[in-house]
Amino acid sequence: MTRRLEGRVALISGTGGGQGRAAALRFAADGAIVVGCDVSGAADTETVRLVTEAGGVMTTMVCDLGDPAEAQAWVDRAVSDHGRIDVVYNNASAAKFGSIADLSIEDWRFTIRNELDLVFLTTKFAWPHLAKRGGAIVNVASTAGWQGSRGNGTVAHNATKGGVIAMTRQMALEGAPLGIRANSISPGFIITPGTRAFAENPAVRAQLTNSIPLGRPGEPEDVVGMAAFLASDEAAFITGADIIIDGGTTAC
């Protein structure tokens, strides 16, 4: 690894597994001090163990970032423990799926809270600390923010991830005078604990990968490498961008 993030304090949400765990390992390998957060303490404890065994530094806490008080507490603890925040990586999310006709009001609000509110809340509370010396925000959006999905009932997910992309652009404009850069990443079909069951079903996997020009689903490492780059000085002139990582799907 490049150690491109040496000594920087990076808040990464949803580090209990999937892309969040991969991000914690990658950022730590690049020299960052990782401050994790997940709703599952047991899963995140395992991530801390993996990071520590790999020679990295990570602390974590159990928190629900859709709750303003808990988001504030996470940010406050990071500053208390480390004295600064250099990177905010808004990775955590949770969605409910259904068509416009079928999705319940409760599931709509659940998705808005857990895919849009928590990005806003964490960034809002971290903003004054980023503004002290500049910093980087990386928000995880999705190709669902760019295109619909036939038959998959993704209306709430489309709305929130499109919102993350738009919100990131506004963060970039407001942050530029303060030295804060903000970018988003839009993954396509990535193998995570939530999608692994689909990927392991040959028929479903074939259906899903038929639309991917590179012929395979993505891995978490395909996403987090870009996140580490965007958080580093190598991306010093990149802000307000959304980087699509989908194996070419949206090029079709």
Side-chain angles (χ1 to χ4, degrees), residues 151-173:
N152 288 332
T154 59
V155 62
H157 185 56
N158 295 136
T160 56
K161 292 307 187 179
V164 169
I165 294 167
M167 184 164 55
T168 301
R169 293 195 183 108
Q170 186 62 28
M171 290 176 184
L173 290 178

Side-chain angles (χ1 to χ4, degrees), residues 89-113:
Y89 186 172
N90 287 305
N91 164 77
S93 68
K96 302 287 188 178
F97 295 93
S99 66
I100 293 174
D102 297 331
L103 189 73
S104 69
I105 301 299
E106 291 75 19
D107 285 350
W108 166 265
R109 289 177 175 163
F110 174 94
T111 305
I112 296 295
R113 178 189 190 276

Side-chain angles (χ1 to χ4, degrees), residues 14-47:
T15 45
Q19 291 181 52
R21 177 173 288 171
L25 287 162
R26 177 56 187 265
F27 274 54
D30 275 344
I33 298 166
V34 175
V35 180
C37 174
D38 203 274
V39 294
S40 171
D44 217 19
T45 296
E46 175 63 10
T47 302

Side-chain angles (χ1 to χ4, degrees), residues 92-161:
S93 68
K96 302 287 188 178
F97 295 93
S99 66
I100 293 174
D102 297 331
L103 189 73
S104 69
I105 301 299
E106 291 75 19
D107 285 350
W108 166 265
R109 289 177 175 163
F110 174 94
T111 305
I112 296 295
R113 178 189 190 276
N114 291 292
E115 292 203 321
L116 200 56
D117 286 2
L118 55 78
V119 173
F120 167 74
L121 291 170
T122 297
T123 306
K124 174 180 176 61
F125 296 133
W127 191 268
H129 305 288
L130 291 171
K132 289 179 180 178
R133 54 178 61 86
I137 298 165
V138 181
N139 295 325
V140 177
S142 168
T143 53
W146 287 102
Q147 62 184 62
S149 178
R150 288 186 176 88
N152 288 332
T154 59
V155 62
H157 185 56
N158 295 136
T160 56
K161 292 307 187 179

